[in-house]
Amino acid sequence: GLSGTIRSFGSVIAEAIYTTILANRLARTIPALVPAAAENAGLPATSIPALLTGLAGTTNLTAAAVPGLNANILNAAGDAYRLANSQAYQTVFLASFAFGGLGMVLCWFTGGVDKSKDDFVAGHIHKHKEERALEEERG
């Protein structure tokens, strides 16, 4: 009961931290990499916001939605978008080392296991009187 609650609480905290780290890193890496790659490939600067919303999945990535978009620009922007995402996820991965280290330290504080109770059975699964009926059901 208590250990399950503690594990659930720890996972909720970790998820909140990882989500925050990812969102903050994406907010920095995508604007730093994607617009420059798209402009170098020939996309007009006025079309960058439409390209970013398209790459995020909010709108369609078509020439009608993003003026000046072609296959070369889409490839360059897509590569930059993937690189920005990989850098953001790399930061989340590195942050997971902190939780792993904390878990290792907390392992030192767990109590020992009582070896005298290795083969201990806490109780019967069924009543002794019902044993014949159960054996007959099994066949």
Side-chain angles (χ1 to χ4, degrees), residues 35-93:
E39 286 180 3
N40 289 341
L43 187 70
T46 56
S47 298
I48 296 293
L51 175 69
L52 292 176
T53 58
L55 287 172
T58 307
T59 60
N60 292 329
L61 274 174
T62 61
V66 183
L69 184 67
N70 61 34
N72 292 335
I73 295 170
L74 187 57
N75 287 337
D79 289 343
Y81 191 76
R82 283 187 287 280
L83 178 63
N85 274 287
S86 71
Q87 288 177 356
Y89 279 100
Q90 182 180 12
T91 305
V92 173
F93 176 73

Short mmCIF file of all heavy atoms in Angstrom, two decimals, residues 35-93:
data_model
loop_
_atom_site.label_atom_id
_atom_site.label_comp_id
_atom_site.label_asym_id
_atom_site.label_seq_id
_atom_site.Cartn_x
_atom_site.Cartn_y
_atom_site.Cartn_z
N PRO A 35 13.84 27.97 -38.12
CA PRO A 35 13.74 29.13 -39.00
C PRO A 35 15.00 29.37 -39.83
O PRO A 35 14.91 29.70 -41.03
CB PRO A 35 13.48 30.30 -38.04
CG PRO A 35 12.86 29.67 -36.85
CD PRO A 35 13.53 28.34 -36.73
N ALA A 36 16.17 29.20 -39.23
CA ALA A 36 17.41 29.42 -39.98
C ALA A 36 17.55 28.42 -41.11
O ALA A 36 17.93 28.78 -42.24
CB ALA A 36 18.60 29.32 -39.04
N ALA A 37 17.22 27.17 -40.86
CA ALA A 37 17.32 26.14 -41.90
C ALA A 37 16.32 26.40 -43.02
O ALA A 37 16.65 26.24 -44.21
CB ALA A 37 17.09 24.76 -41.30
N ALA A 38 15.11 26.81 -42.67
CA ALA A 38 14.09 27.08 -43.69
C ALA A 38 14.45 28.30 -44.52
O ALA A 38 14.29 28.29 -45.75
CB ALA A 38 12.74 27.27 -43.02
N GLU A 39 14.96 29.35 -43.89
CA GLU A 39 15.36 30.55 -44.64
C GLU A 39 16.55 30.27 -45.53
O GLU A 39 16.63 30.77 -46.66
CB GLU A 39 15.66 31.70 -43.68
CG GLU A 39 14.41 32.30 -43.07
CD GLU A 39 14.71 33.44 -42.10
OE1 GLU A 39 15.89 33.81 -41.94
OE2 GLU A 39 13.76 33.94 -41.49
N ASN A 40 17.51 29.47 -45.05
CA ASN A 40 18.66 29.11 -45.89
C ASN A 40 18.25 28.28 -47.09
O ASN A 40 18.91 28.31 -48.12
CB ASN A 40 19.70 28.35 -45.06
CG ASN A 40 20.42 29.24 -44.08
OD1 ASN A 40 20.42 30.47 -44.22
ND2 ASN A 40 21.01 28.64 -43.07
N ALA A 41 17.14 27.52 -46.96
CA ALA A 41 16.65 26.72 -48.07
C ALA A 41 15.79 27.54 -49.03
O ALA A 41 15.42 27.06 -50.10
CB ALA A 41 15.85 25.54 -47.55
N GLY A 42 15.46 28.79 -48.65
CA GLY A 42 14.74 29.66 -49.56
C GLY A 42 13.33 30.04 -49.15
O GLY A 42 12.62 30.68 -49.93
N LEU A 43 12.90 29.72 -47.97
CA LEU A 43 11.55 30.08 -47.52
C LEU A 43 11.53 31.54 -47.08
O LEU A 43 12.43 31.98 -46.35
CB LEU A 43 11.11 29.18 -46.36
CG LEU A 43 9.66 29.34 -45.89
CD1 LEU A 43 8.71 28.79 -46.96
CD2 LEU A 43 9.44 28.60 -44.59
N PRO A 44 10.54 32.31 -47.49
CA PRO A 44 10.45 33.70 -47.03
C PRO A 44 10.23 33.77 -45.51
O PRO A 44 9.57 32.90 -44.92
CB PRO A 44 9.23 34.26 -47.76
CG PRO A 44 8.85 33.27 -48.79
CD PRO A 44 9.48 31.97 -48.44
N ALA A 45 10.78 34.78 -44.88
CA ALA A 45 10.67 34.93 -43.42
C ALA A 45 9.23 35.08 -42.97
O ALA A 45 8.88 34.70 -41.84
CB ALA A 45 11.50 36.13 -42.96
N THR A 46 8.36 35.60 -43.82
CA THR A 46 6.96 35.77 -43.44
C THR A 46 6.21 34.43 -43.34
O THR A 46 5.16 34.37 -42.72
CB THR A 46 6.24 36.67 -44.46
OG1 THR A 46 6.39 36.09 -45.77
CG2 THR A 46 6.82 38.08 -44.45
N SER A 47 6.77 33.39 -43.92
CA SER A 47 6.12 32.07 -43.90
C SER A 47 6.60 31.19 -42.75
O SER A 47 6.10 30.07 -42.58
CB SER A 47 6.37 31.34 -45.22
OG SER A 47 5.81 32.06 -46.29
N ILE A 48 7.56 31.67 -41.98
CA ILE A 48 8.12 30.86 -40.88
C ILE A 48 7.07 30.49 -39.84
O ILE A 48 7.00 29.32 -39.43
CB ILE A 48 9.33 31.58 -40.23
CG1 ILE A 48 10.46 31.74 -41.24
CG2 ILE A 48 9.80 30.86 -38.98
CD1 ILE A 48 11.10 30.45 -41.67
N PRO A 49 6.22 31.41 -39.36
CA PRO A 49 5.21 31.01 -38.36
C PRO A 49 4.27 29.91 -38.87
O PRO A 49 3.94 28.98 -38.13
CB PRO A 49 4.44 32.30 -38.07
CG PRO A 49 5.40 33.39 -38.41
CD PRO A 49 6.20 32.87 -39.55
N ALA A 50 3.86 29.99 -40.14
CA ALA A 50 2.99 28.95 -40.70
C ALA A 50 3.74 27.62 -40.79
O ALA A 50 3.15 26.56 -40.56
CB ALA A 50 2.49 29.38 -42.07
N LEU A 51 5.02 27.67 -41.11
CA LEU A 51 5.82 26.45 -41.17
C LEU A 51 5.93 25.80 -39.79
O LEU A 51 5.77 24.58 -39.65
CB LEU A 51 7.22 26.75 -41.73
CG LEU A 51 8.18 25.57 -41.73
CD1 LEU A 51 7.76 24.52 -42.74
CD2 LEU A 51 9.59 26.05 -41.99
N LEU A 52 6.17 26.60 -38.77
CA LEU A 52 6.31 26.07 -37.42
C LEU A 52 5.02 25.44 -36.92
O LEU A 52 5.04 24.39 -36.28
CB LEU A 52 6.79 27.16 -36.45
CG LEU A 52 8.22 27.66 -36.67
CD1 LEU A 52 8.54 28.80 -35.72
CD2 LEU A 52 9.22 26.53 -36.51
N THR A 53 3.88 26.07 -37.20
CA THR A 53 2.60 25.48 -36.78
C THR A 53 2.32 24.20 -37.57
O THR A 53 1.73 23.26 -37.05
CB THR A 53 1.44 26.46 -36.92
OG1 THR A 53 1.35 26.89 -38.28
CG2 THR A 53 1.60 27.65 -35.99
N GLY A 54 2.76 24.17 -38.81
CA GLY A 54 2.59 22.96 -39.61
C GLY A 54 3.47 21.82 -39.11
O GLY A 54 3.03 20.67 -39.05
N LEU A 55 4.70 22.12 -38.77
CA LEU A 55 5.59 21.09 -38.24
C LEU A 55 5.11 20.58 -36.88
O LEU A 55 5.32 19.42 -36.53
CB LEU A 55 7.02 21.63 -38.12
CG LEU A 55 7.77 21.81 -39.44
CD1 LEU A 55 9.10 22.52 -39.19
CD2 LEU A 55 8.01 20.47 -40.11
N ALA A 56 4.46 21.44 -36.12
CA ALA A 56 3.93 21.04 -34.81
C ALA A 56 2.66 20.22 -34.95
O ALA A 56 2.19 19.64 -33.98
CB ALA A 56 3.68 22.26 -33.94
N GLY A 57 2.09 20.17 -36.16
CA GLY A 57 0.89 19.38 -36.39
C GLY A 57 -0.40 20.15 -36.22
O GLY A 57 -1.47 19.57 -36.27
N THR A 58 -0.30 21.45 -36.01
CA THR A 58 -1.51 22.26 -35.82
C THR A 58 -2.23 22.52 -37.14
O THR A 58 -3.46 22.50 -37.19
CB THR A 58 -1.14 23.60 -35.14
OG1 THR A 58 -0.39 23.31 -33.97
CG2 THR A 58 -2.37 24.38 -34.76
N THR A 59 -1.46 22.79 -38.19
CA THR A 59 -2.04 23.03 -39.51
C THR A 59 -1.39 22.09 -40.52
O THR A 59 -0.43 21.38 -40.21
CB THR A 59 -1.82 24.49 -39.96
OG1 THR A 59 -0.42 24.75 -40.02
CG2 THR A 59 -2.49 25.47 -39.01
N ASN A 60 -1.89 22.13 -41.74
CA ASN A 60 -1.33 21.30 -42.81
C ASN A 60 -0.05 21.91 -43.36
O ASN A 60 0.10 23.13 -43.40
CB ASN A 60 -2.33 21.13 -43.95
CG ASN A 60 -3.53 20.33 -43.52
OD1 ASN A 60 -3.42 19.45 -42.68
ND2 ASN A 60 -4.67 20.62 -44.12
N LEU A 61 0.84 21.05 -43.79
CA LEU A 61 2.07 21.50 -44.43
C LEU A 61 1.89 21.41 -45.95
O LEU A 61 2.36 20.48 -46.60
CB LEU A 61 3.26 20.64 -43.99
CG LEU A 61 3.95 21.05 -42.72
CD1 LEU A 61 5.01 20.06 -42.32
CD2 LEU A 61 4.56 22.42 -42.85
N THR A 62 1.20 22.37 -46.50
CA THR A 62 0.98 22.44 -47.94
C THR A 62 1.46 23.79 -48.44
O THR A 62 1.67 24.72 -47.66
CB THR A 62 -0.51 22.27 -48.28
OG1 THR A 62 -1.25 23.33 -47.67
CG2 THR A 62 -1.05 20.93 -47.80
N ALA A 63 1.64 23.88 -49.74
CA ALA A 63 2.07 25.15 -50.33
C ALA A 63 1.00 26.22 -50.14
O ALA A 63 1.32 27.41 -50.08
CB ALA A 63 2.38 24.95 -51.82
N ALA A 64 -0.25 25.83 -50.04
CA ALA A 64 -1.33 26.80 -49.81
C ALA A 64 -1.27 27.34 -48.38
O ALA A 64 -1.51 28.53 -48.14
CB ALA A 64 -2.68 26.17 -50.08
N ALA A 65 -0.95 26.49 -47.41
CA ALA A 65 -0.90 26.91 -46.01
C ALA A 65 0.39 27.63 -45.68
O ALA A 65 0.41 28.53 -44.83
CB ALA A 65 -1.07 25.70 -45.09
N VAL A 66 1.48 27.24 -46.35
CA VAL A 66 2.79 27.86 -46.11
C VAL A 66 3.29 28.40 -47.45
O VAL A 66 3.83 27.65 -48.27
CB VAL A 66 3.80 26.82 -45.54
CG1 VAL A 66 5.12 27.50 -45.24
CG2 VAL A 66 3.25 26.14 -44.31
N PRO A 67 3.11 29.70 -47.70
CA PRO A 67 3.52 30.27 -48.98
C PRO A 67 5.03 30.11 -49.21
O PRO A 67 5.84 30.40 -48.34
CB PRO A 67 3.15 31.75 -48.86
CG PRO A 67 2.13 31.81 -47.78
CD PRO A 67 2.45 30.69 -46.85
N GLY A 68 5.38 29.61 -50.39
CA GLY A 68 6.79 29.44 -50.76
C GLY A 68 7.36 28.08 -50.41
O GLY A 68 8.53 27.81 -50.65
N LEU A 69 6.55 27.20 -49.86
CA LEU A 69 7.04 25.88 -49.44
C LEU A 69 7.23 24.97 -50.64
O LEU A 69 6.40 24.91 -51.53
CB LEU A 69 6.04 25.25 -48.46
CG LEU A 69 6.44 23.91 -47.85
CD1 LEU A 69 7.64 24.09 -46.92
CD2 LEU A 69 5.28 23.30 -47.09
N ASN A 70 8.37 24.29 -50.67
CA ASN A 70 8.61 23.26 -51.67
C ASN A 70 9.29 22.08 -50.99
O ASN A 70 9.53 22.09 -49.79
CB ASN A 70 9.44 23.80 -52.85
CG ASN A 70 10.80 24.31 -52.43
OD1 ASN A 70 11.42 23.79 -51.51
ND2 ASN A 70 11.28 25.36 -53.12
N ALA A 71 9.61 21.05 -51.75
CA ALA A 71 10.16 19.82 -51.18
C ALA A 71 11.52 20.05 -50.53
O ALA A 71 11.80 19.48 -49.46
CB ALA A 71 10.27 18.74 -52.26
N ASN A 72 12.37 20.87 -51.12
CA ASN A 72 13.70 21.13 -50.55
C ASN A 72 13.59 21.86 -49.21
O ASN A 72 14.30 21.52 -48.25
CB ASN A 72 14.56 21.95 -51.52
CG ASN A 72 14.93 21.16 -52.75
OD1 ASN A 72 14.96 19.93 -52.72
ND2 ASN A 72 15.19 21.86 -53.84
N ILE A 73 12.72 22.84 -49.15
CA ILE A 73 12.52 23.59 -47.89
C ILE A 73 11.93 22.67 -46.83
O ILE A 73 12.36 22.68 -45.67
CB ILE A 73 11.61 24.81 -48.13
CG1 ILE A 73 12.30 25.81 -49.06
CG2 ILE A 73 11.23 25.48 -46.82
CD1 ILE A 73 11.42 26.93 -49.55
N LEU A 74 10.97 21.85 -47.22
CA LEU A 74 10.34 20.94 -46.28
C LEU A 74 11.36 19.93 -45.73
O LEU A 74 11.36 19.64 -44.53
CB LEU A 74 9.18 20.21 -46.95
CG LEU A 74 8.32 19.34 -46.04
CD1 LEU A 74 7.74 20.15 -44.89
CD2 LEU A 74 7.21 18.69 -46.84
N ASN A 75 12.25 19.43 -46.59
CA ASN A 75 13.28 18.51 -46.12
C ASN A 75 14.25 19.18 -45.16
O ASN A 75 14.61 18.62 -44.12
CB ASN A 75 14.06 17.92 -47.30
CG ASN A 75 13.24 16.90 -48.06
OD1 ASN A 75 12.31 16.32 -47.54
ND2 ASN A 75 13.58 16.71 -49.33
N ALA A 76 14.69 20.39 -45.51
CA ALA A 76 15.63 21.12 -44.64
C ALA A 76 14.98 21.46 -43.30
O ALA A 76 15.60 21.27 -42.23
CB ALA A 76 16.12 22.39 -45.34
N ALA A 77 13.74 21.93 -43.33
CA ALA A 77 13.04 22.28 -42.09
C ALA A 77 12.73 21.02 -41.28
O ALA A 77 12.84 21.04 -40.05
CB ALA A 77 11.76 23.04 -42.41
N GLY A 78 12.37 19.95 -41.94
CA GLY A 78 12.10 18.70 -41.24
C GLY A 78 13.34 18.15 -40.55
O GLY A 78 13.26 17.66 -39.41
N ASP A 79 14.48 18.23 -41.22
CA ASP A 79 15.74 17.78 -40.60
C ASP A 79 16.07 18.63 -39.38
O ASP A 79 16.47 18.11 -38.33
CB ASP A 79 16.88 17.84 -41.60
CG ASP A 79 16.78 16.76 -42.67
OD1 ASP A 79 16.01 15.79 -42.48
OD2 ASP A 79 17.46 16.91 -43.72
N ALA A 80 15.90 19.95 -39.49
CA ALA A 80 16.17 20.84 -38.37
C ALA A 80 15.20 20.60 -37.23
O ALA A 80 15.58 20.64 -36.05
CB ALA A 80 16.10 22.30 -38.83
N TYR A 81 13.94 20.31 -37.56
CA TYR A 81 12.92 20.03 -36.54
C TYR A 81 13.26 18.74 -35.80
O TYR A 81 13.15 18.66 -34.57
CB TYR A 81 11.55 19.94 -37.20
CG TYR A 81 10.40 19.90 -36.25
CD1 TYR A 81 9.98 21.06 -35.60
CD2 TYR A 81 9.71 18.72 -35.99
CE1 TYR A 81 8.91 21.04 -34.72
CE2 TYR A 81 8.63 18.69 -35.12
CZ TYR A 81 8.25 19.86 -34.49
OH TYR A 81 7.19 19.83 -33.62
N ARG A 82 13.69 17.72 -36.52
CA ARG A 82 14.09 16.46 -35.88
C ARG A 82 15.32 16.65 -34.99
O ARG A 82 15.41 16.10 -33.90
CB ARG A 82 14.35 15.38 -36.93
CG ARG A 82 13.08 14.78 -37.49
CD ARG A 82 13.35 13.60 -38.40
NE ARG A 82 13.91 13.99 -39.68
CZ ARG A 82 13.22 14.45 -40.71
NH1 ARG A 82 11.91 14.57 -40.61
NH2 ARG A 82 13.80 14.77 -41.84
N LEU A 83 16.28 17.46 -35.44
CA LEU A 83 17.46 17.74 -34.64
C LEU A 83 17.09 18.50 -33.37
O LEU A 83 17.58 18.18 -32.28
CB LEU A 83 18.48 18.55 -35.45
CG LEU A 83 19.75 18.95 -34.71
CD1 LEU A 83 20.54 17.72 -34.28
CD2 LEU A 83 20.60 19.85 -35.59
N ALA A 84 16.20 19.47 -33.49
CA ALA A 84 15.75 20.22 -32.32
C ALA A 84 15.05 19.31 -31.31
O ALA A 84 15.28 19.41 -30.10
CB ALA A 84 14.80 21.35 -32.75
N ASN A 85 14.22 18.41 -31.81
CA ASN A 85 13.55 17.46 -30.92
C ASN A 85 14.55 16.51 -30.26
O ASN A 85 14.44 16.21 -29.07
CB ASN A 85 12.50 16.65 -31.68
CG ASN A 85 11.17 17.35 -31.74
OD1 ASN A 85 10.48 17.42 -30.74
ND2 ASN A 85 10.84 17.89 -32.89
N SER A 86 15.52 16.04 -31.02
CA SER A 86 16.50 15.11 -30.43
C SER A 86 17.33 15.80 -29.36
O SER A 86 17.65 15.18 -28.34
CB SER A 86 17.39 14.50 -31.51
OG SER A 86 18.29 15.46 -32.03
N GLN A 87 17.66 17.07 -29.55
CA GLN A 87 18.40 17.79 -28.52
C GLN A 87 17.56 17.98 -27.26
O GLN A 87 18.07 17.86 -26.14
CB GLN A 87 18.86 19.15 -29.05
CG GLN A 87 19.97 19.05 -30.06
CD GLN A 87 20.36 20.40 -30.63
OE1 GLN A 87 19.75 21.42 -30.33
NE2 GLN A 87 21.38 20.41 -31.47
N ALA A 88 16.27 18.23 -27.44
CA ALA A 88 15.39 18.40 -26.29
C ALA A 88 15.22 17.08 -25.53
O ALA A 88 15.29 17.05 -24.30
CB ALA A 88 14.03 18.93 -26.74
N TYR A 89 15.02 15.99 -26.25
CA TYR A 89 14.88 14.69 -25.59
C TYR A 89 16.18 14.24 -24.95
O TYR A 89 16.17 13.53 -23.95
CB TYR A 89 14.36 13.64 -26.57
CG TYR A 89 12.86 13.71 -26.73
CD1 TYR A 89 12.29 14.33 -27.84
CD2 TYR A 89 12.02 13.17 -25.78
CE1 TYR A 89 10.91 14.40 -27.99
CE2 TYR A 89 10.64 13.24 -25.91
CZ TYR A 89 10.10 13.85 -27.03
OH TYR A 89 8.75 13.93 -27.16
N GLN A 90 17.30 14.65 -25.52
CA GLN A 90 18.59 14.32 -24.91
C GLN A 90 18.70 14.97 -23.53
O GLN A 90 19.20 14.36 -22.59
CB GLN A 90 19.73 14.79 -25.80
CG GLN A 90 21.10 14.46 -25.27
CD GLN A 90 22.21 14.95 -26.18
OE1 GLN A 90 21.98 15.72 -27.10
NE2 GLN A 90 23.41 14.50 -25.94
N THR A 91 18.22 16.18 -23.41
CA THR A 91 18.24 16.87 -22.12
C THR A 91 17.36 16.14 -21.11
O THR A 91 17.72 15.99 -19.94
CB THR A 91 17.77 18.32 -22.28
OG1 THR A 91 18.59 18.96 -23.27
CG2 THR A 91 17.87 19.09 -20.98
N VAL A 92 16.20 15.67 -21.56
CA VAL A 92 15.31 14.91 -20.66
C VAL A 92 16.00 13.62 -20.24
O VAL A 92 15.94 13.23 -19.07
CB VAL A 92 13.96 14.61 -21.35
CG1 VAL A 92 13.11 13.68 -20.51
CG2 VAL A 92 13.21 15.90 -21.62
N PHE A 93 16.68 12.96 -21.17
CA PHE A 93 17.40 11.73 -20.84
C PHE A 93 18.48 12.00 -19.80
O PHE A 93 18.64 11.24 -18.84
CB PHE A 93 18.02 11.14 -22.11
CG PHE A 93 18.85 9.93 -21.87
CD1 PHE A 93 18.27 8.72 -21.56
CD2 PHE A 93 20.24 10.01 -21.94
CE1 PHE A 93 19.05 7.60 -21.33
CE2 PHE A 93 21.01 8.89 -21.71
CZ PHE A 93 20.43 7.68 -21.41
#
